[in-house]
């Protein structure tokens, strides 16, 4: 697709099927950092039909095993404020060999109001 970064950049292909493409990240956070993308073009996860996502996690799992990563992150961002830079759905498989290499994140937890959490659960379940 014209204008798609993943369709235009040279890549180091690791896996390809009719629906999925996996390749090494050209700006890796650690050795073996790879991307797994659906060939179906869509900016956000909700833009991709379910059948086009079926191979994504099995391929990410195979990459984790192939790299020998004992610890790793599987990451997928949706939207600019969620740190998405490329407007084509992609999943990162990022080996975490030590505290310095790989993905570093913060997790600012908040106290939970269980009644509000229960209300939210019911709201979300009602929309599924």
């Amino acid at each position: 697709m014209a204008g798609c970064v993943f369709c235009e950049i040279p890549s180091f292909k690791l896996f390809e099927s009719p629906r999925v493409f996996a390749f090494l990240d050209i700006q890796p956070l650690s050795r073996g950092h790879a991307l797994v993308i659906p060939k179906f073009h869509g900016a956000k996860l909700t833009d991709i039909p379910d059948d086009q996502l079926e191979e994504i996690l099995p391929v990410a799992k195979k990459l984790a095993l192939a790299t020998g990563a004992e610890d790793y992150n599987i990451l997928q961002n949706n939207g600019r404020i969620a740190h998405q830079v490329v407007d084509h759905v992609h999943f990162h498989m990022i080996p975490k060999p030590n505290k310095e290499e790989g993905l570093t994140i913060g997790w600012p937890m908040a106290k939970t109001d269980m009644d509000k959490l229960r209300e939210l659960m019911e709201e979300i379940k009602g929309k599924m």
Side-chain angles (χ1 to χ4, degrees):
M1 171 179 250
C4 175
V5 172
F6 292 145
C7 291
E8 297 173 2
I9 62 170
S11 64
F12 294 94
K13 178 171 62 171
L14 298 169
F15 176 86
E16 186 171 14
S17 76
R19 294 182 179 172
V20 173
F21 187 61
F23 52 96
L24 289 173
D25 193 303
I26 60 171
Q27 296 178 313
L29 297 180
S30 61
R31 185 177 186 275
H33 179 172
L35 299 176
V36 182
I37 67 169
K39 288 185 176 179
F40 187 97
H41 291 269
K44 294 183 178 181
L45 184 62
T46 51
D47 298 332
I48 309 296
D50 290 349
D51 68 321
Q52 300 298 311
L53 296 168
E54 292 171 350
E55 287 182 81
I56 298 286
L57 289 180
V59 171
K61 177 182 174 181
K62 288 176 185 177
L63 289 171
L65 290 168
T67 63
E70 289 186 35
D71 299 304
Y72 54 91
N73 296 93
I74 302 295
L75 175 70
Q76 197 275 316
N77 302 322
N78 294 277
R80 293 291 181 266
I81 64 171
H83 309 287
Q84 183 181 15
V85 176
V86 177
D87 289 329
H88 184 118
V89 169
H90 55 287
F91 292 74
H92 293 262
M93 191 295 294
I94 309 167
K96 185 70 176 159
N98 54 55
K99 289 183 179 185
E100 293 76 36
E101 295 177 82
L103 184 65
T104 57
I105 59 173
W107 203 270
M109 292 183 288
K111 284 196 168 212
T112 301
D113 178 322
M114 296 305 273
D115 291 330
K116 287 184 180 180
L117 196 59
R118 188 172 288 104
E119 289 174 18
L120 178 60
M121 174 193 69
E122 294 301 330
E123 178 186 333
I124 294 170
K125 282 174 57 176
K127 294 177 182 177
M128 292 181 72

